Amino acid sequence: MDHALLNNHLFLKPFNILGAMFARWYGANESWTNVSMKLFGPWYLETDVLANVLYEERGIKLLVGAFVPLFGTPRGRLLQQFAKKKGIALTWALGQATMDPFKDRPPKHKTMPSFKAGPRILDLTTSASARLNVSSHGSARCAFEKLWEDVASVRGPSGELAQEKAWALWARAETELHSSRVALPAPGMCADWDACIGTLLTGECVCYRSTTADIVV
């Protein structure tokens, strides 16, 4: 990821990609982390890595699923299956709360949609296979699956999810699954940056199993 940020920063200097990314990742409150796409600049960062990913060496440390287009859908289940098969941690994030950021972006004369940062939701169906130092109560797993079913039930005929419903469902997820909310760790918060994917609201680090003690959520 470092080389992707640096390459894109040098190539697209006017957008100040590094500044926007660090504000989004480590800002103390939403006034910093809620960076609009207009200020952020490019829609995605190209890594252009021409190599095979070494999953057993944690070539991919974390998968982040887009809540609106994937949560509660067959494609979302496929993402969970992939995470389980490869032993990769999976979290969910709201982002722009749109089905497709390319198709759903407003005309140029309108304000670009904001990006909601903040904690992600840990996928409780895949944390065990990823061998994280987190174990969940049965009630938490039931709440996760119930939310999955409820999101699926309010989608339209083509699987679409209205933005207003998405915001409400995400707020519910943050409330009912508050113990599973994982934020990006600030530098120095976790002993092993390569093994840890984030911090719980309690400040404890969520990491791939090594010598860290288990955390119950």
Side-chain angles (χ1 to χ4, degrees), residues 184-193 199-200 203-205:
L184 279 169
M189 288 190 68
C190 298
D192 189 344
W193 179 266
T199 56
L200 299 174
E204 296 171 289
C205 292

Side-chain angles (χ1 to χ4, degrees), residues 17-217:
I17 291 176
L18 286 179
M21 293 296 285
F22 273 85
R24 177 177 290 179
W25 288 343
Y26 303 119
N29 54 57
E30 289 288 329
S31 65
W32 288 99
T33 60
N34 196 10
V35 181
S36 72
M37 291 303 294
K38 184 176 182 180
L39 294 175
F40 186 59
W43 289 90
Y44 65 97
L45 300 180
E46 292 186 7
T47 55
D48 297 329
V49 178
L50 301 178
N52 293 325
V53 177
L54 300 178
Y55 293 101
E56 64 277 6
E57 296 182 15
R58 208 173 295 131
I60 295 178
K61 184 170 73 171
L62 175 66
L63 296 172
V64 182
F67 183 81
V68 175
L70 295 178
F71 196 90
T73 70
R75 288 195 302 157
R77 287 297 190 200
L78 288 175
L79 180 60
Q80 290 175 327
Q81 292 171 17
F82 177 79
K84 289 179 181 179
K85 181 178 180 180
K86 298 299 184 181
I88 306 172
L90 171 62
T91 59
W92 295 93
L94 183 63
Q96 294 173 242
T98 56
M99 289 292 294
D100 187 327
F102 290 94
K103 294 180 181 179
D104 297 339
R105 57 183 173 178
K108 291 183 178 180
H109 66 278
K110 292 187 178 181
T111 303
M112 299 298 284
S114 293
F115 186 103
K116 181 175 175 58
R120 301 157 176 169
I121 303 294
L122 185 65
D123 190 296
L124 298 182
T125 71
T126 62
S127 56
S129 58
R131 299 181 297 280
L132 296 177
N133 64 329
V134 172
S135 58
S136 56
H137 288 292
S139 57
R141 292 192 295 273
C142 288
F144 183 91
E145 287 294 353
K146 182 64 167 61
L147 179 66
W148 185 280
E149 294 171 1
D150 290 348
V151 173
S153 68
V154 298
R155 289 186 178 275
S158 300
E160 66 274 15
L161 181 63
Q163 192 172 52
E164 295 77 14
K165 291 182 179 179
W167 280 104
L169 288 164
W170 182 258
R172 173 183 159 188
E174 289 188 319
T175 300
E176 296 182 359
L177 301 169
H178 65 279
S179 62
S180 304
R181 293 168 63 184
V182 181
L184 279 169
M189 288 190 68
C190 298
D192 189 344
W193 179 266
D194 292 329
C196 297
I197 65 169
T199 56
L200 299 174
L201 296 182
T202 58
E204 296 171 289
C205 292
V206 178
C207 311
Y208 289 91
R209 290 180 187 273
S210 56
T211 58
T212 54
D214 278 5
I215 306 167
V216 179
V217 297

